[in-house]
């Protein structure tokens, strides 16, 4: 019998259409998997089983009548606990958020999923306010890697990544302000896309401003394109949302990479020390792109590490999001979050504007770079997953999570589309991610190239099998 939790959204929908299985069966299977994996990986803040099954029964009746609603009718999905989901508290990983709110509104991306008949399984874990690149919080504890629960799932969308990797719904909505869908995707062996800023509307507006993106976390690039066709449309609540795309992303997937100009930067010009296993896996995937017809050049973008400017913007945002808290509430915060909030509160307006200047110059340089190259390829991360519950690897000498994510946050500064594609594993079976980056508004090229790697068998991290799952 087909294991429903192993299927992509596209395959589930095909089975609904053919009568091979039903939304109720798929939802029950996903909920059972979610409950089974929770003790090992802690991917969920809460499951909404009763509501999910009710929505699945409604979907099943629509499919019975031959009248499915939208593109994702009956597909189980999860939502990071940063995004509003009507009827469920959005606590943002924080004990300082009161769960007794009204909770009567959907975020734009969630609203689009609801309109298309998706079935919400529940809310996934996040570090407090999504502030760091791993997923642990005072509220929900530590989220663990599905390939090795002693390791981190990454963050800040770590719960979503673990859920998708282990079959608790094929689709999840994450957020990415410095790598937060790509980091956990790389560590957990799934696909994730940070779209061009504004392509997926965000409301309420993030305190981290225009660094913050909403993006799909999925089994493969085809499912991400399908999800983008649902969520990638404007919403009047987001003043910075882009106009609707010219056409469906799913229509452009089959274009392949033949003739595309690909720049391969193994270490951003020697600025990043990359683990040998990571470097080898990424190089093999790049060689596969060349075999598929891409024109690959090993070269580096004109990119100096913008970490100090990023910290100014990021820490200021953290200070702003916690500004309303009183002394007793501040004591409830993650100690690391309290530290960066204190630093962020000391920046002046001139400091902030100087960081914006760095950002604009970086965007200019990357824009010129993409005059010559359609895609930039790098490792997603220079390492594989390290011990769970730590912000930085033990013994690394690093202070903050940005020290081990030098490939991700620059492209939040520039607002470009960037994806993580699983391209193998290291000697311990831990997944390795390759990052694809394109010019702003060319999300289609990122999805197309990623899909070509999947179709060629070059994108895979293996299926995790922790005990109990």
């Amino acid at each position: 019998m087909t294991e429903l939790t192993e299927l992509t959204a596209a395959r589930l929908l095909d089975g609904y259409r053919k009568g091979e299985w039903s939304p109720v069966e798929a939802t029950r299977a996903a909920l059972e998997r979610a409950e089974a994996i929770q003790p090992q990986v802690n991917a969920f803040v809460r499951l909404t089983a009763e509501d999910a099954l009710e929505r699945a029964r409604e979907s099943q009746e629509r499919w019975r009548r031959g009248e499915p609603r939208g593109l994702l009718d009956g597909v189980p999905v999860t939502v990071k606990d940063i995004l509003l989901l009507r009827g469920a508290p959005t606590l943002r990983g924080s004990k300082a958020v009161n769960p007794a709110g009204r909770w009567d509104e959907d975020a734009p991306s969630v609203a689009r999923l609801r309109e298309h008949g998706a079935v919400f399984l529940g809310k996934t874990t996040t570090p407090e306010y999504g502030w760091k690149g791993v997923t642990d919080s005072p509220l929900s504890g530590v989220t663990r890697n599905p390939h090795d629960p002693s390791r981190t799932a990454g963050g800040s969308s770590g719960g979503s990544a673990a859920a998708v990797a282990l079959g608790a719904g094929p689709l999840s909505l994450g957020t990415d302000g410095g790598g937060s869908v790509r980091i956990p995707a790389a560590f957990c062996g799934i696909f994730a896309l940070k779209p061009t800023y504004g392509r997926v509307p965000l409301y309420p507006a993030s305190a981290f401003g225009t660094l913050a993106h909403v993006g799909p976390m999925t089994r493969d690039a085809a499912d991400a394109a399908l999800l983008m066709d649902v969520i990638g449309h404007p919403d009047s609540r987001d003043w910075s949302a882009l106009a609707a795309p010219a056409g469906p992303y799913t229509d452009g997937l089959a274009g392949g990479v033949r003739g595309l100009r690909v720049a391969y930067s193994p270490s951003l010009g020697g600025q990043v020390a990359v683990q040998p296993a990571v470097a080898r896996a990424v190089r093999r995937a790049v060689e596969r792109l060349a075999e598929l017809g891409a024109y690959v050049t090993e070269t580096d973008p004109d990119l100096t590490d913008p970490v100090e400017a990023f910290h100014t913007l990021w820490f200021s945002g953290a200070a702003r999001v916690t500004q309303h808290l009183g002394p007793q509430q501040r004591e409830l915060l993650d100690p690391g979050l309290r530290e960066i909030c204190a630093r962020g509160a000391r920046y002046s307006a001139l400091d902030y504007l100087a960081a914006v200047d760095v950002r604009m110059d970086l965007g200019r340089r990357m824009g010129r770079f993409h005059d010559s190259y359609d895609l930039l390829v790098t490792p997603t991360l220079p390492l594989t997953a390290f011990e769970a519950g730590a912000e930085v690897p033990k013994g690394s000498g690093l202070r903050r999570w940005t020290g081990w994510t030098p490939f991700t946050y620059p492209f939040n500064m520039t607002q470009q589309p960037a994806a993580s594609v699983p391209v193998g594993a290291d000697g311990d079976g831990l997944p390795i991610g390759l990052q694809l980056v394109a010019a702003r508004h060319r999300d289609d090229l990122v999805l197309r190239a990623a899909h070509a790697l999947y179709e060629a068998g070059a994108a895979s991290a293996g299926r995790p099998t922790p005990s109990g799952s």
Side-chain angles (χ1 to χ4, degrees), residues 220-304:
D220 60 20
D223 265 12
L226 177 61
L227 185 47
M228 284 295 293
D229 286 344
V230 171
I231 65 176
H233 292 270
D235 187 289
S236 60
R237 294 172 290 175
D238 183 351
W239 64 271
S240 61
L242 298 175
Y249 288 107
T250 47
D251 285 357
L253 283 177
V257 297
R258 183 168 300 280
L260 292 183
R261 302 164 299 168
V262 175
Y264 168 44
S265 179
S267 61
L268 296 180
Q271 295 182 75
V272 184
V274 178
Q275 287 180 353
V278 174
R280 287 193 297 269
V282 173
R283 185 174 290 275
R284 283 195 299 269
V286 170
E287 291 169 353
R288 191 73 182 105
L289 287 173
E291 293 168 2
L292 293 171
Y295 298 115
V296 176
T297 304
E298 188 166 328
T299 188
D300 304 301
D302 178 21
L303 189 155
T304 52

Side-chain angles (χ1 to χ4, degrees), residues 113 120 241 309:
L113 284 172
F120 299 108

